[in-house]
Amino acid sequence: MVKRYKSGGSQPVLPSEITPESVYRDRRRFMQAALSVAALPVVGFSSLAEAAGYDIPADLPRYKGPDWLQPKLAEASRNAELSTRETLAPYYNVITHNNFYEFGTDKRDPVRNAQEFKTDPWTVEISGEVAKPGNYHLEDILAPHALEDRVYRLRCVEAWSMVIPWLGFPLADLIKRFEPTSKAKYVQFTTLLDKEQMPGQRGFFSTIKWPYVEGLRMDEAMHPLTLMAVGLYGNALPPQNGAPLRLVVPWKYGFKSIKSIVRIHFSETMPATSWNMTAPDEYGFYANVNPEVDHPRWSQATERRLPSSLLTPNIIDTLPFNGYADQVAHLYKGMDLTQWF
Ligand code: MTE
């Protein structure tokens, strides 16, 4: 198979990445509709995105987040070494094409249904094999951490992808503060369980057993690429993207990057994870992006890089470990990745 892009390298701008006028007009119509039904509680137009050099159309909402977060967002600096130089997905695509089953299964359900989601105040429970367990306010969790702006590829297991500028800090720095014991071999993350606020959790026929849970091996969690994100595109995380705190693990399929985290638990044994419990033959614990191992129902050899359209589908080859093989392949040395998918 001929690969067009080298692992970790940048790729050329494709003509299809330039938004055609018709798509732009459709986008305006959608956002007007979304704004009128959801009454977005936004937003004030923050200058943070502009300060970060991002070109966000003026008619799209910015998610300001709590006042206490503003200085942190404003002081975030770009980590160029760990950022790809590929073309960013437009802000519009990042905030309107989402997987967040707690708010519905359609890609546009999260932006429609998550706007009233309360994300401040927010508490995170730290539990299990750590010296300092407890319930911590998000503000205290974030206090010692400077935010970085990192541009990562996000590759969904459904074979679409986007390039997103996140604001966050290394999970490793957070973990060290709670002093894991020698028994801490895995980390499990849990999303909020709240049927009142999350319509997807009320569904009788839901395939997922709530709350959504995900996990990492300790060395994966401590890897410098593994990010706790609180913002994107220079602003706070929108609720549909997992406000106020989410995980971003760029070399794994997107479902590992769990949203709206309320619990971080350290354990000796491999924790349960939502998609693995739902369909163990289709979704493994590791879920490393791997073009050589197909999903039982579709190929993983290529991906649709968003934005894409019928006329310009923008299909590119999928790279091992989503293009981060140089940094992470050693974590899986000696493992048969067709077995540990
Ligand atoms: N986290 C929770 N709690 N619930 C979800 O449904 N979907 C996952 C992941 N995190 C999901 C989640 C999937 S399948 C993907 S591809 C990414 O979130 C999508 O992130 P985005 O909507 O910010 O692009």
Side-chain angles (χ1 to χ4, degrees):
M1 196 183 343
V2 179
K3 297 275 185 225
R4 275 174 289 171
Y5 312 118
K6 283 209 181 69
S7 168
S10 59
Q11 74 185 51
V13 180
L14 304 176
S16 53
E17 286 166 334
I18 299 161
T19 311
E21 177 63 17
S22 58
V23 174
Y24 177 74
R25 269 192 264 112
D26 186 46
R27 160 203 298 184
R28 282 185 64 97
R29 266 201 302 279
F30 168 72
M31 279 319 294
Q32 277 156 8
L35 281 162
S36 61
V37 285
L40 296 168
V42 200
V43 195
F45 283 75
S46 117
S47 61
L48 297 175
E50 285 87 347
Y54 295 127
D55 176 23
I56 300 179
D59 57 348
L60 294 183
R62 318 293 171 84
Y63 292 84
K64 193 164 168 281
D67 287 344
W68 59 261
L69 187 59
Q70 303 313 306
K72 285 208 165 283
L73 295 171
E75 284 160 18
S77 60
R78 166 67 55 86
N79 186 325
E81 198 192 338
L82 297 183
S83 291
T84 173
R85 287 182 295 281
E86 289 158 271
T87 307
L88 300 183
Y91 183 64
Y92 171 80
N93 293 72
V94 176
I95 67 166
T96 61
H97 181 279
N98 300 105
N99 275 336
F100 200 170
Y101 274 35
E102 286 85 338
F103 292 100
T105 53
D106 188 86
K107 293 287 176 284
R108 289 201 164 163
D109 283 343
V111 67
R112 289 189 190 111
N113 298 333
Q115 301 310 319
E116 304 294 330
F117 185 41
K118 303 235 175 330
T119 57
D120 182 55
W122 190 268
T123 305
V124 181
E125 181 192 353
I126 308 289
S127 61
E129 293 294 341
V130 277
K132 296 179 174 170
N135 291 300
Y136 297 87
H137 291 303
L138 183 58
E139 196 173 348
D140 298 329
I141 292 253
L142 297 185
H145 302 284
L147 298 183
E148 289 176 22
D149 182 317
R150 294 191 187 185
V151 184
Y152 282 168
R153 293 174 284 273
L154 174 84
R155 168 55 157 88
C156 180
V157 75
E158 297 163 341
W160 53 265
S161 65
M162 288 196 226
V163 176
I164 301 176
W166 301 103
L167 293 176
F169 58 98
L171 173 62
D173 293 348
L174 182 69
I175 289 180
K176 284 178 206 151
R177 281 170 56 203
F178 300 108
E179 299 173 16
T181 71
S182 58
K183 285 188 180 162
K185 303 276 191 285
Y186 293 90
V187 194
Q188 187 189 48
F189 305 86
T190 307
T191 294
L192 182 70
L193 178 66
D194 186 341
K195 289 187 166 66
E196 292 290 313
Q197 293 200 76
M198 295 172 146
Q201 292 182 341
R202 298 197 287 267
F204 187 69
F205 295 105
S206 171
T207 46
I208 293 179
K209 184 175 163 289
W210 307 108
Y212 194 102
V213 282
E214 256 309 333
L216 294 173
R217 219 171 52 190
M218 200 63 173
D219 57 348
E220 299 176 320
M222 298 300 287
H223 192 280
L225 282 172
T226 305
L227 198 70
M228 292 304 280
V230 296
L232 54 81
Y233 257 107
N235 293 280
L237 270 183
Q240 63 269 32
N241 292 87
L245 181 72
R246 73 172 289 172
L247 186 68
V248 182
V249 195
W251 73 93
K252 292 176 178 284
Y253 291 119
F255 66 83
K256 299 294 289 183
S257 293
I258 182 174
K259 298 177 169 181
S260 305
I261 295 168
V262 292
R263 183 173 182 249
I264 303 178
H265 180 79
F266 296 81
S267 63
E268 196 167 12
T269 52
M270 187 183 275
T273 57
S274 283
W275 283 105
N276 180 248
M277 282 190 282
T278 306
D281 297 339
E282 302 189 6
Y283 310 103
F285 174 83
Y286 284 95
N288 293 314
V289 174
N290 191 344
E292 309 293 334
V293 177
D294 287 340
H295 186 279
R297 289 181 281 131
W298 58 84
S299 163
Q300 294 291 23
T302 60
E303 66 203 52
R304 195 164 52 89
R305 174 62 57 86
L306 302 185
S308 83
S309 67
L310 270 183
L311 290 180
T312 50
N314 203 14
I315 306 293
I316 61 173
D317 287 341
T318 289
L319 297 172
F321 300 103
N322 201 21
Y324 299 95
D326 290 350
Q327 292 106 306
V328 301
H330 69 276
L331 297 176
Y332 310 100
K333 206 162 168 249
M335 283 173 71
D336 178 352
L337 297 180
T338 61
Q339 296 302 311
W340 298 103
F341 56 87

